[in-house]
Amino acid sequence: MPATLIDGKKIAAQIKQEVKAGTEKLKADRRITPGLAYILVGENPASEAYVRMKGKGCEEMGFYSITERLPANTPESQLLELIRRLNHDRLIHGILVQLPLPEQIKESRVLTTIDYRKDVDGFHPVNVGRLVTGQECLRPCTPVGVQELLVRSGNDPGGKHVVIVGRSNIVGKPLLNILLQKQPGANAVVTMAHTGARDLSRLTKLADILIAAMGRAESIKGDMIKPGAVVIDVGINRVEDPTAKNGYRLTGDVHFPSVSQVAAAVTPVPGGVGPMTIAILLRNTLRAAQGNIYSD
Ligand code: NDP
């Protein structure tokens, strides 16, 4: 039987409804409007699409939002100065710097300069440390989006064997740390695979839940998964397609036609994890505006 589709657009819309309701309450009770600052250094077509989606999301939620565009040759000191100013701006509760940055700017210095209480991407070392130790914090958007997709589609990871392929600092590693916490919506047994794995398919076949975050178009095939597994495709890859209007199409890391014949449930690309990332970014901004995350 073909797999059920896990609809990221629908689940993201539910989360946005909750964020909107939370925002209205925060405005009514405490006269606080969540504010998000987005910093873009240089030009990149993928980032432009993200700016548009983020702007639309903020508008829908009733947030205050600003976008700071800096040229590609901006010195690091100027970017750090802007971040420090936003750290002190009372109207701004979330600061997001689009990665990757031009080579004259050191990413780690940028991430540690953002006030961790405004770090809606969850990349500041304080947030990384708190995530690993299971403390309350702002958590990275895409990994939390994956967790929400699982829970809200009736595929709670508790007690399941989750195999994550990809160990990046923005997806794989935080996701591992989220799913193995002894907490509701987590408590999974997690295996993490990467290019060092000698036999990737032996590992992927063990997964009750397989999460592909490799950035390798359509490389997880149907014969690499256990029948009845749940498959989450984080990948977004551009592949050439002469039949497409702009000459390319977007595809995931999962070979959808073969995997959907074997899996119980699978996310599409686009329309799976992608919409969740923005929804969680908006939720993180609301949480930052509500405060009290770091009261322990
Ligand atoms: P990175 O390139 O930073 O990391 C890729 C990881 O996959 C690495 O750990 C790499 O291993 C591993 N890997 C690559 N090829 C293989 C292979 N053949 N076998 C086993 N492991 C492999 O990517 P990101 O984590 O930043 O992104 C992953 C994908 O997710 C991309 O397609 C990206 O566009 C997408 N993405 C989607 C988002 C969304 O909102 N939906 C948000 C963020 C990312 P090693 O460490 O050994 O090199």
Side-chain angles (χ1 to χ4, degrees), residues 142 165-172 193-197 200 212-216 219 233-237 253 273-275 277:
T142 302
V165 190
R167 60 176 158 190
S168 73
N169 289 336
I170 63 166
V171 185
H194 42 75
T195 57
L200 182 63
M214 310 149 78
R216 299 280 178 274
S219 53
D233 190 354
V234 181
I236 303 178
N237 310 289
D253 290 348
V273 176
T277 300

Side-chain angles (χ1 to χ4, degrees), residues 149-219:
L149 272 183
L150 289 170
V151 171
R152 293 182 189 231
S153 64
N155 296 294
D156 193 296
K160 304 274 173 53
H161 183 191
V162 177
V163 177
I164 303 171
V165 190
R167 60 176 158 190
S168 73
N169 289 336
I170 63 166
V171 185
K173 281 186 204 155
L175 187 52
L176 168 116
N177 282 298
I178 288 169
L179 295 182
L180 65 74
Q181 295 302 327
K182 199 168 183 176
Q183 287 172 357
N187 208 26
V189 174
V190 189
T191 297
M192 169 150 282
H194 42 75
T195 57
R198 295 214 176 101
D199 183 352
L200 182 63
S201 128
R202 185 181 67 79
L203 296 173
T204 55
K205 274 187 202 149
L206 295 173
D208 302 316
I209 297 174
L210 177 65
I211 300 166
M214 310 149 78
R216 299 280 178 274
E218 301 183 329
S219 53

Side-chain angles (χ1 to χ4, degrees), residues 61 99 189 240-241:
M61 297 306 106
L99 302 177
V189 174
E240 279 183 26
D241 180 353

